[in-house]
Every structure is written in C-alpha cells, then in structure tokens.
Amino acid sequence: QQPVQSPQAVILREGEDAVINCSSSKALYSVHWYRQKHGEAPVFLMILLKGGEQKGHDKISASFNEKKQQSSLYLTASQLSYSGTYFCGTAEATDSWGKLQFGAGTQVVVTP
Amino acid sequence: NAGVTQTPKFQVLKTGQSMTLQCAQDMNHEYMSWYRQDPGMGLRLIHYSVGAGITDQGEVPNGYNVSRSTTEDFPLRLLSAAPSQTSVYFCASSYRGPRNTEAFFGQGTRLTVV
C-alpha cells in the first residue's frame, strides 16, 4: 500500500516555510525523500532511518517518527529552486530498497 | 560517468505491439528497478532486481517482463502493448550497502500506446 502524502499541493512565496507529511500504515525501516522537476527524473534529497533520525539538506530538513510511521519534510525560507513535486518513498526492511513504495507526491510552487 | 541511461526517451506504439525499454547503469549497482509514473499516482514499482540473474515483481507487474543477465543492464519488455500502459517509465539503481541507500534515476521513457 502506498504511503499517503499531504498536502497534495502548496503555493509559497519566496522565504516562506512549508511542511509536507508522509504517513504509512505499515512499520517502516526508512523513509526516502525525492524532488522532481517537470519533465525530469526524481532527484534524491535524503533518507531517514528507523530511530527517529533527523537529517538536513541545505534549508530542507526532515524527521521520522517511527511510532507513528510518519515523516515530515520541512522547507525553510523557501527559494524559487524549491519548486517541484516532492515524493516520499518508504521501505519496510534494511534490504528492501528495491521495493520502495512512493506516495502520490506533493506539488510545491514557490513564487517571487 | 553517465549514471543511469534509458533509451528511447520517447516511443509511440500501436496496441498489440511489443518493445523493449533499455536501462543501463555504469555505477556497478546491485539493485535496479523499473517504475511507471502516472498523473496523480506517483511512482509505482513494476519489477526490481537485487543482482544479476535475480528479479522479482513489484506492485504492477502484469504485462511486463524483465531479465538481468549482467549487473549493468536491466531491460523492460512490454509483451503486447495496451493503452493502459501509456505512462512515463523510470529505471533506477542503487548501491547495496549495509543500509538502504540513495536511488539514482534515469531520465525516463515517455511511452504512448495508441
């Protein structure tokens, strides 16, 4: 079953913050976040591993609450380059990379 | 370093035709996967492989075949194309480390079945 992402879309002005959520009904080992620009391939942002680890990538950070099987991606002081569709991918075991299940995506539009 | 290369980039097929989507990676990655991407549905796993000679089905395998004779190549075969297979197809690869690792995606193949 695919993880559920929310919101489906968000429009921001440059400098504003946003949060994207990803939740699963299954016990997870890791959550992966990717960003895809229109017409391009998804690009890796970060992996969150079981243990509540929090990671960051520039001004984009994320957390993983393994008790709730939820992950959140934080876009801080958004830049125009943050526009794109963000996907979370979930894995249930350490060697289950090949079985990543992706959410439907959250479209982010950052305006000047 | 080319990364993950997919060919062709665009393809139009008639219903019932067969074809092979090519995927090659030059990073010596053990894991390779095929996804299809449809509007509003994100990426759905078709087939994946954990190494040469080993493949398994994902969420939506019907109508597709794969094989992996080498570490580098992981072709996806459409046996008898149907309009429902119109989609963008992505191939991805990853290093098999002690933990789940980053996936590298190819640029995609946009397939239209008429």
Side-chain angles (χ1 to χ4, degrees):
Chain A
Q1 188 174 359
Q2 288 182 299
V4 177
Q5 281 187 241
S6 62
Q8 286 186 321
V10 59
I11 299 175
L12 302 166
R13 288 189 182 272
E14 248 184 316
E16 290 183 338
D17 302 338
V19 180
I20 300 170
N21 298 305
C22 174
S23 64
S24 174
S25 59
K26 300 180 179 179
L28 301 177
Y29 176 77
S30 64
V31 179
H32 306 225
W33 286 96
Y34 292 81
R35 178 171 63 204
Q36 184 179 31
K37 304 250 182 199
H38 184 68
E40 298 181 6
V43 174
F44 172 79
L45 293 176
M46 63 191 76
I47 291 176
L48 287 301
L49 300 175
K50 186 176 177 179
E53 195 169 337
Q54 187 160 354
K55 288 206 165 191
H57 173 82
D58 194 14
K59 290 184 178 175
I60 299 175
S61 61
S63 62
F64 176 28
N65 185 327
E66 62 180 280
K67 288 184 180 178
K68 294 184 178 181
Q69 308 307 327
Q70 288 179 351
S71 178
S72 295
L73 187 73
Y74 307 94
L75 307 181
T76 305
S78 59
Q79 305 168 14
L80 294 176
S81 62
Y82 287 3
S83 292
T85 301
Y86 290 76
F87 293 97
C88 68
T90 57
E92 297 172 35
T94 59
D95 62 348
S96 65
W97 173 86
K99 304 178 193 176
L100 273 183
Q101 293 200 311
F102 285 91
T106 296
Q107 186 175 11
V108 173
V109 176
V110 181
T111 62
Chain B
N1 195 342
V4 179
T5 302
Q6 290 184 236
T7 55
K9 286 187 171 52
F10 301 93
Q11 182 71 48
V12 178
L13 286 179
K14 292 183 178 179
T15 298
Q17 286 185 316
S18 63
M19 80 158 295
T20 299
L21 279 60
Q22 301 292 343
C23 176
Q25 52 93 7
D26 62 359
M27 297 173 282
N28 203 32
H29 285 169
E30 293 89 346
Y31 291 164
M32 294 186 76
S33 294
W34 277 102
Y35 291 89
R36 60 176 289 172
Q37 185 172 37
D38 302 297
M41 300 196 72
L43 295 154
R44 291 185 292 168
L45 182 64
I46 305 171
H47 285 285
Y48 66 97
S49 169
V50 299
I54 306 170
T55 63
D56 205 347
Q57 297 181 349
E59 304 169 64
V60 288
N62 292 339
Y64 308 95
N65 270 357
V66 292
S67 61
R68 186 136 177 235
S69 56
T70 67
T71 299
E72 294 78 20
D73 300 301
F74 191 43
L76 178 72
R77 298 182 188 83
L78 278 69
L79 309 173
S80 178
S84 61
Q85 293 179 305
T86 294
S87 187
V88 181
Y89 292 84
F90 286 100
C91 177
S93 75
S94 176
Y95 168 67
R96 184 177 182 179
R99 294 178 167 185
N100 291 335
T101 57
E102 165 187 0
F104 293 83
F105 283 84
Q107 289 303 304
T109 295
R110 185 174 296 273
L111 176 69
T112 302
V113 182
V114 298

